[in-house]
Amino acid sequence: MPEPGPRMNGFSLGELCWLFCCPPCPSRIAAKLAFLPPEPTYTVLAPEQRGPGAPSTAPAPAPAAAAQPAPQQPEEGAGAGPGACSLHLSERADWQYSQRELDAVEVFFSRTARDNRLGCMFVRCAPSSRYTLLFSHGNAVDLGQMCSFYIGLGSRINCNIFSYDYSGYGVSSGKPSEKNLYADIDAAWQALRTRIDKISKVTSPVLVIHGTEDEVIDFSHGLAMYERCPRAVEPLWVEGAGHNDIELYAQYLERLKQFISHELPNS
């Protein structure tokens, strides 16, 4: 068999001719120019993969090469908490913060309409924020390289950050392409919407108490939670109460006593 021809930056001589002499570019060449996925700078481990000796701080060892067998991946929808997935960064991720900030980074998987597994990241850098920014990163980085930036950005603008890795980037499966990109952003948007709105899944009685002058969490949040909760009892809207003084109002304790003494036992 004839030896393959020389390649320049991953392009064959024929591809270079197509690129410069015969526009428009074939899609496979355009994809190489538009997408430059780096070698993954992080790994995501499911709870059962984290033994007593598993690393818990950054940086972690670099992930295995793509040619080696990949570890079992966590299931889609794995969330925060003791049974959550864990994020392990390589040195190339250049993590700039402490373990406390790393613990505020939630990682999980979603699934796109093109059946690719999508690596997602939620950075809770502003707990009092009313907004979450959906951030699509550049074409030559992955979530591991971006997470330090997200911490700094969210802290400065008082906003949480939700991001994802495109198909073929980081721990996301599939290959980078225009069609996959559209499916990626749609799946990320759906994951963001369905994971922050959980009150509709609560089946126990819920009492919502909120001050009408809350300067940190706007009163509209309490109202929206009450309207979406399937088993909400009569709420208490404390007229004039703010975020830090609501427990000073007499009706606050009275309503809690009624809920615990009468409404919960009879539910």
Side-chain angles (χ1 to χ4, degrees):
M1 295 180 62
E3 292 292 328
R7 303 184 70 84
M8 298 177 60
N9 292 330
F11 295 101
S12 68
L13 181 60
E15 290 172 333
L16 289 172
C17 290
W18 268 103
L19 177 61
F20 295 107
C21 303
C22 306
C25 304
S27 59
R28 62 194 178 97
I29 300 179
K32 289 185 177 181
L33 293 174
F35 300 102
L36 300 171
E39 182 181 347
T41 64
Y42 69 102
T43 55
V44 175
L45 299 181
E48 61 271 16
Q49 295 175 277
R50 302 200 309 266
S56 60
T57 59
Q68 297 180 2
Q72 179 184 356
Q73 297 294 348
E75 296 180 358
E76 284 78 9
C85 302
S86 63
L87 171 67
H88 299 278
L89 302 173
S90 73
E91 292 183 357
R92 291 180 299 105
D94 193 24
W95 177 250
Q96 301 173 14
Y97 296 92
S98 69
Q99 181 64 34
R100 182 175 66 87
E101 283 81 11
L102 189 63
D103 290 340
V105 178
E106 177 187 349
V107 286
F108 62 95
F109 287 91
S110 187
R111 182 70 61 173
T112 76
R114 295 177 64 83
D115 203 31
N116 288 325
R117 186 186 63 244
L118 196 71
C120 299
M121 175 178 286
F122 181 71
V123 185
R124 195 180 303 278
C125 40
S128 63
S129 172
R130 295 177 56 190
Y131 302 102
T132 297
L133 178 66
L134 176 56
F135 196 105
S136 298
H137 61 64
N139 68 334
V141 294
D142 66 6
L143 290 176
Q145 292 167 297
M146 291 298 295
C147 54
S148 285
F149 170 78
Y150 292 151
I151 291 282
L153 175 64
S155 300
R156 285 170 173 80
I157 64 174
N158 192 35
C159 191
N160 295 320
I161 308 291
F162 183 92
S163 191
Y164 61 100
D165 261 337
Y166 312 117
S167 296
Y169 281 66
V171 296
S172 294
S173 64
K175 295 182 179 180
S177 71
E178 182 179 359
K179 290 183 178 180
N180 278 340
L181 180 64
Y182 298 147
D184 295 342
I185 183 65
D186 183 64
W189 171 241
Q190 294 301 324
L192 174 58
R193 292 180 60 193
T194 56
R195 289 179 63 83
I196 293 177
D197 186 12
K198 297 187 181 216
I199 191 63
S200 61
K201 301 176 183 178
V202 176
T203 58
S204 60
V206 174
L207 168 62
V208 180
I209 302 177
H210 208 129
T212 60
E213 301 299 324
D214 193 324
E215 70 283 2
V216 178
I217 306 298
D218 191 78
F219 172 65
S220 61
H221 288 243
L223 186 61
M225 184 174 293
Y226 168 69
E227 292 174 344
R228 296 176 187 176
C229 184
R231 295 198 60 194
V233 298
E234 185 67 26
L236 173 62
W237 311 131
V238 184
E239 191 69 31
H243 189 72
N244 295 314
D245 62 353
I246 192 171
E247 68 276 7
L248 301 179
Y249 287 74
Q251 59 264 48
Y252 174 83
L253 285 178
E254 292 171 1
R255 184 67 186 91
L256 278 175
K257 288 180 180 179
Q258 181 185 7
F259 177 67
I260 295 171
S261 301
H262 302 288
E263 292 165 307
L264 278 181
N266 296 326
S267 63

